[in-house]
Amino acid sequence: MGMLKCLLWDVDGTLADTERDGHRVAFNLAFDEAGIDRQWDVPTYGELLAVTGGKERIRHDYERRGLQPPAQEAIASLHAKKTDHYQGLIAEGRMPLRPGVHRLLTEAYEAGITLAVATTTTPAALDALIAHSLGPEWFDRFAVRAAGDIVPAKKPAPDIYVYAMHQLGLSPDVCLAMEDSGNGWRAARDAGLRCVVTVNDYTRGQDFTGADLVVSEFGEPDAEPIEVLDNAHGLSDLHHVRLAHLRQIMA
Ligand code: XBP
Ligand code: MG
């Protein structure tokens, strides 16, 4: 351990609260469009988040109700419709970044820390969020954008983190993962990474035992202090999470 060289960012739930009002709504629009009599309400979607990956989640929803899922090509085409709807929702500008995300990304970028993405979501969904919520200048600021089906096994498998680090030519001892969910945390841990977790309404009760820092959000200097749920390194002055805290976790 020693030096922080790279921040590996999860996307859904970490950069923005995309699940409830983004992905979930897009799945429902796609079901409607395809004439499928199914709508995922907020609590149901919370249960379905146990399975990562949109196509995998659709299949799981059939299987858990004891129904035969559609063929893989039909699921893929339904999921493509969902991605179109998701891009449309994001383009409406309705998906703000979570508190502190832009501040922390900017601080790290200006300090010369390598930035990368390691997410389960589809590349087109990631690109929409970067374009409309972060800003197009950020496309080039992520050295690697690892997303979706590029690896065979999605989170909680560590594959997407391993892939991203391989692309970067970096080892886990100089990288820190930023996550929001139990599945994401396990993926990071099993890739040998340290990990900061920012919980949200869907993930607050999940098991983050062993994570390096668990907080309600990254926070902002001029807002209320964040809630600290677990502080394994005994970091002080945690009104909001700063780059200095992330460096201390790696020290
Ligand atoms: C995110 C996911 C994704 C999104 C939907 O998990 O599981 O499947 O819910 O996106 P994580 P797609 O934040 O752990 O990466 O429909 O594009 O898969
Ligand atoms: Mg996530």
Side-chain angles (χ1 to χ4, degrees):
M1 289 293 160
M3 197 180 173
L4 174 66
K5 286 194 183 162
C6 173
L7 293 178
L8 292 167
W9 291 79
D10 173 52
V11 173
D12 296 307
T14 301
L15 293 184
D17 270 323
T18 49
E19 294 291 9
R20 193 190 66 181
D21 299 328
H23 290 295
R24 183 186 68 89
V25 175
F27 281 111
N28 287 337
L29 289 167
F31 294 148
D32 258 352
E33 190 187 343
I36 295 170
D37 182 22
R38 181 70 175 145
Q39 292 285 290
W40 289 344
D41 61 22
V42 171
T44 300
Y45 193 67
E47 293 166 17
L48 292 169
L49 283 172
V51 173
T52 63
K55 295 187 285 295
E56 294 83 350
R57 190 168 299 141
I58 292 169
R59 170 177 295 280
H60 172 70
D61 184 47
Y62 281 90
E63 288 172 346
R64 77 178 197 145
R65 289 181 291 148
L67 301 174
Q68 176 70 31
Q72 191 53 32
E73 306 79 63
I75 290 183
S77 120
L78 179 61
H79 185 256
K81 288 192 209 310
K82 175 261 165 179
T83 300
D84 285 347
H85 285 296
Y86 181 80
Q87 288 175 289
L89 292 171
I90 299 297
E92 288 171 16
R94 289 199 297 179
M95 200 54 67
L97 297 176
R98 293 190 64 190
V101 166
H102 191 271
R103 173 184 57 75
L104 208 45
L105 275 168
T106 303
E107 196 181 355
Y109 176 72
E110 289 176 351
I113 303 287
T114 298
L115 300 173
V117 165
T119 176
T120 287
T121 202
T122 307
L126 168 62
D127 289 356
L129 193 75
I130 293 176
H132 297 287
S133 297
L134 254 175
E137 67 278 16
W138 284 90
F139 280 108
D140 290 339
R141 296 184 185 178
F142 291 108
V144 166
R145 301 198 304 274
D149 296 325
I150 202 156
V151 288
K154 293 180 176 166
K155 299 173 188 176
D159 302 27
I160 196 73
Y161 280 111
V162 173
Y163 173 87
M165 287 188 282
H166 183 75
Q167 293 290 308
L168 292 162
L170 292 173
S171 56
D173 57 333
V174 293
C175 301
L176 180 62
M178 314 294 265
E179 273 289 352
D180 73 298
S181 71
N183 280 331
W185 145 239
R186 285 197 293 286
R189 177 196 65 193
D190 292 350
L193 287 156
R194 295 193 173 199
C195 185
V196 173
V197 177
T198 53
V199 297
N200 53 56
D201 286 349
Y202 274 137
T203 66
R204 177 174 275 268
Q206 295 178 355
D207 183 9
F208 299 110
T209 307
D212 294 276
L213 179 65
V214 184
V215 291
S216 55
E217 59 182 46
F218 295 121
E220 296 287 13
D222 53 1
E224 290 293 301
I226 60 172
E227 183 186 348
V228 180
L229 287 86
D230 197 357
N231 183 7
H233 297 262
L235 303 176
S236 56
D237 192 21
L238 267 172
H239 174 277
H240 56 282
V241 178
R242 289 173 285 117
L243 183 59
H245 294 122
L246 307 185
R247 290 192 198 277
Q248 285 174 55
I249 287 172
M250 302 301 285

